[in-house]
C-alpha cells in the first residue's frame, strides 16, 4: 500500500526525533512492502523564522492532502516573548482545530524492563500499570474566549472554559469504545464540585454510560486523580478528561513510566487522518546534542500505522522492537541509571530498526 505522510518537524529536538521515526517507518516499508511518501512542512518557531507565522496555510493544506501527519514538537525560548497569537504553540492548537482532531489518545504504561526508572515506591511499581488517557483536544479553555480588559484592580486577563453537550458526548463515546477493547473501565475526570462545565461533563458522561452497561464508569475529581495517579496507578484503565486536565494529568502519567521521552500520542478526528506526536515538548536544552530519546516519536509512528492505516502487524513490529531494546537493557540518557552508559538518538534508532 502507498501512504502520504506529512512531516511537521518543528523546533528543538523535533527534527531529530521525527527523522528517527522516519527511519523506522522506512524499515517497516521494506519489510512489509509498503510505500511511505514523506513531505515536510513548516510549523512552529521554524515557520516563524522562515515565513513569519507559526502555522502557514501551506502546512494546513499539505496536512489535509496527506493520509496522516507526524509531528515532532514546537516552541523554544527564542519565540517565548512573541504575542500569544504568534507563538509556536498557537500552531499546534491551530493544526488540531483545522484537522478536527478532537480525540487525543495518550497511553501510559510501565514497561517491566523500566520498573527501576519508575519514581514510585517499589510496592506500587511492582503492580505495573497500563492507562489510556482519552483527552478532549479541540475545546475547553484552550479555545474559549480570552483577552485583556480593565477590571476592578486595573489591567486583567481572562480565559474561559466552554463545553457543549455535543463535544462531551463525542469524546466520552471514544472513551467507552476504547474501554470495551481494554479492561472495560472508564474513570471520568472533572471538577464538578466547582465548575459548571464539569457538571455538564459529568451529567453527559452518566447518560452515555447507560448505553454501555458492560463498561464500569466512575467519576473522579481532578485533584484526587492527580493524587491517585501516584498512589495507585494500577486502578486506572481508560481516563476520560477535558483538554486542560488531560494536558496536566498526561505529563504526570508519563513521569511515572520512567520518562516523558517514552510516551506517544494519537490525535484523531472522525476520519482516518490523524496526527501523531510524542507528548513531550521541544526540549531546547538538549536540542542538537543527539541525545534525545526517540522512542515516544517512534511509538507515535506505530500508533499512526494502527489507527490511520489499520496496519496492526506493522504497528506490533515497532512496539515489539521497542520492548526488545528495553529488555536488552539499551537506554538513552533520560532512562539510563546515573553513571551508566547510554545510547545517542541515532544509536537507539539503529537498535530499534535492526529489530524490525
Ligand atoms: C501537549 C502540549 C501542548 C498542549 C502545548 C504545547 C500547546 O503541552 O500536547 O500536551 O498543551 O496541548
Ligand atoms: Mg502538555
Amino acid at each position: 500500500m502507498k501512504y502520504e505522510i506529512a512531516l511537521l518537524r518543528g523546533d528543538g529536538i523535533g527534527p531529530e526525533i521525527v527523522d528517527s521515526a522516519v527511519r523506522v517507518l522506512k524499515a517497516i516499508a521494506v519489510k512489509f512492502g509498503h510505500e511511505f511518501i514523506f513531505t515536510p512542512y513548516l510549523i512552529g518557531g521554524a515557520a516563524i523564522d522562515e515565513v513569519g507565522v507559526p502555522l502557514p496555510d501551506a502546512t494546513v493544506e499539505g496536512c489535509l492532502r496527506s493520509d496522516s501527519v507526524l509531528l515532532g514538537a514546537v516552541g523554544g525560548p527564542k519565540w517565548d516573548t512573541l504575542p500569544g497569537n504568534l507563538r509556536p504553540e498557537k500552531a499546534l492548537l491551530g493544526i488540531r482545530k483545522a484537522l478536527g482532531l478532537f480525540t487525543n489518545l495518550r497511553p501510559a504504561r510501565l514497561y517491566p524492563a523500566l520498573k527501576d526508572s519508575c519514581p514510585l515506591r517499589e510496592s506500587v511499581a511492582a503492580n505495573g500499570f497500563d492507562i489510556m488517557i482519552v483527552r478532549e483536544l479541540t475545546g475547553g479553555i484552550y479555545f474559549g474566549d480570552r483577552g485583556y480588559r480593565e477590571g476592578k484592580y486595573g489591567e486583567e486577563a481572562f480565559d474561559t472554559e466552554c463545553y457543549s453537550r455535543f463535544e462531551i458526548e463525542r469524546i466520552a463515546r471514544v472513551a467507552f469504545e476504547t474501554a470495551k477493547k481494554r479492561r472495560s473501565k472508564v474513570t471520568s475526570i472533572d471538577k464538578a464540585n466547582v465548575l459548571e462545565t464539569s457538571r455538564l461533563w459529568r451529567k453527559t458522561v452518566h447518560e452515555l454510560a447507560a448505553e454501555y452497561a458492560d463498561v464500569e464508569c466512575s467519576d473522579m475529581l481532578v485533584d484526587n486523580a492527580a493524587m491517585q495517579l501516584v498512589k495507585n496507578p494500577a486502578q486506572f484503565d481508560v481516563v476520560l478528561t477535558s483538554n486542560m486536565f488531560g494536558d496536566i494529568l498526561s505529563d504526570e502519567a508519563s513521569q511515572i513510566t520512567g520518562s516523558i521521552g517514552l510516551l506517544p500520542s494519537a490525535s484523531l478526528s472522525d476520519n482516518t487522518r490523524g496526527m501523531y506526536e510524542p507528548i513531550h515538548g521541544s526540549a531546547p536544552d538538549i536540542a542538537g546534542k543527539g541525545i534525545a530519546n526517540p522512542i515516544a516519536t517512534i511509538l507515535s509512528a506505530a500508533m499512526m500505522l494502527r489507527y490511520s492505516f489499520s496496519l496492526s502487524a506493522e504497528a506490533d513490529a515497532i512496539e515489539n522492537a521497542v520492548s526488545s531494546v528495553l529488555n536488552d537493557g539499551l537506554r538513552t540518557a533520560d532512562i539510563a541509571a546515573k553513571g551508566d552508559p547510554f545510547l545517542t538518538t541515532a544509536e537507539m534508532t539503529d537498535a530499534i530498526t535492526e529489530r524490525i
Side-chain angles (χ1 to χ4, degrees):
M1 292 285 286
K2 184 170 158 179
Y3 302 94
E4 307 256 355
I5 301 173
L7 298 181
L8 309 182
R9 291 192 175 92
D11 310 316
I13 59 170
E16 305 163 43
I17 54 179
V18 167
D19 289 346
S20 289
V22 166
R23 284 180 48 209
V24 171
L25 284 170
K26 284 183 174 163
I28 289 287
V30 170
K31 172 154 183 183
F32 291 88
H34 300 299
E35 192 183 347
F36 297 126
I37 299 163
F38 301 102
T39 314
Y41 296 96
L42 291 169
I43 194 164
I48 296 174
D49 290 351
E50 284 275 322
V51 294
V53 289
L55 183 61
D57 291 343
T59 297
V60 176
E61 285 153 19
C63 291
L64 285 168
R65 271 197 312 271
S66 68
D67 297 312
S68 198
V69 182
L70 184 65
L71 173 89
V74 297
K78 184 174 174 194
W79 309 281
D80 269 351
T81 48
L82 291 171
N85 63 343
L86 276 180
R87 286 181 62 108
E89 289 81 1
K90 188 75 186 176
L92 200 48
L93 304 187
I95 192 79
R96 287 172 179 169
K97 198 73 168 178
L99 301 181
L101 306 171
F102 64 88
T103 297
N104 189 207
L105 301 181
R106 298 190 157 186
R109 68 185 178 101
L110 185 60
Y111 284 89
L114 288 180
K115 280 205 171 123
D116 292 340
S117 311
C118 174
L120 302 180
R121 204 185 298 142
E122 225 181 297
S123 59
V124 178
N127 295 329
F129 57 85
D130 179 356
I131 305 171
M132 179 65 90
I133 296 181
V134 177
R135 170 189 178 196
E136 199 290 325
L137 202 61
T138 51
I141 197 163
Y142 275 52
F143 292 93
D145 283 342
R146 70 193 61 216
Y148 285 83
R149 64 188 170 204
E150 276 305 304
K152 194 169 155 199
Y153 303 105
E155 185 186 31
E156 61 182 31
F158 64 96
D159 297 276
T160 47
E161 163 124 330
C162 175
Y163 265 119
S164 63
R165 181 184 282 278
F166 168 80
E167 290 170 298
I168 301 167
E169 193 185 313
R170 181 171 68 169
I171 191 68
R173 200 172 281 287
V174 174
F176 282 105
E177 290 295 331
T178 305
K180 270 170 57 179
K181 294 182 211 130
R182 294 171 47 100
R183 303 192 304 279
S184 293
K185 191 174 171 190
V186 171
T187 309
S188 174
I189 310 299
D190 62 39
K191 187 71 187 172
N193 51 349
V194 177
L195 302 177
E196 214 58 68
T197 39
S198 282
R199 288 191 271 269
L200 180 62
W201 184 280
R202 197 176 269 216
K203 192 163 101 183
T204 308
V205 170
H206 286 186
E207 282 166 14
L208 195 64
E211 272 182 44
Y212 291 89
D214 44 346
V215 177
E216 182 193 334
C217 175
S218 56
D219 312 295
M220 192 178 279
L221 295 173
V222 64
D223 46 352
N224 185 26
M227 185 172 76
Q228 294 298 331
L229 259 179
V230 289
K231 202 173 160 198
N232 176 18
Q235 71 184 286
F236 296 108
D237 177 19
V238 171
V239 169
L240 165 63
T241 77
S242 65
N243 203 344
M244 171 109 118
F245 295 161
D247 177 45
I248 299 167
L249 292 178
S250 59
D251 267 33
E252 187 186 1
S254 78
Q255 203 48 49
I256 58 173
T257 67
S259 170
I260 195 169
L262 296 168
L263 261 68
S265 82
S267 302
L268 308 172
S269 64
D270 47 19
N271 59 50
T272 58
R273 188 191 313 98
M275 187 166 84
Y276 299 83
E277 57 175 304
I279 82 150
H280 61 71
S282 58
D285 52 324
I286 58 164
K289 294 189 180 158
I291 57 165
N293 187 346
I295 290 180
T297 316
I298 289 170
L299 290 175
S300 300
M303 291 186 91
M304 171 187 289
L305 299 180
R306 192 181 301 287
Y307 290 99
S308 280
F309 307 155
S310 296
L311 299 175
S312 45
E314 289 82 341
D316 287 345
I318 296 182
E319 288 164 3
N320 292 338
V322 168
S323 298
S324 157
V325 292
L326 295 175
N327 288 336
D328 291 348
L330 304 183
R331 302 284 183 267
T332 41
D334 54 320
I335 45 176
K338 235 195 176 122
D340 277 6
F342 58 82
L343 302 186
T344 63
T345 310
E347 288 164 345
M348 181 53 103
T349 308
D350 289 341
I352 293 170
T353 311
E354 278 158 20
R355 285 166 175 75
I356 285 188

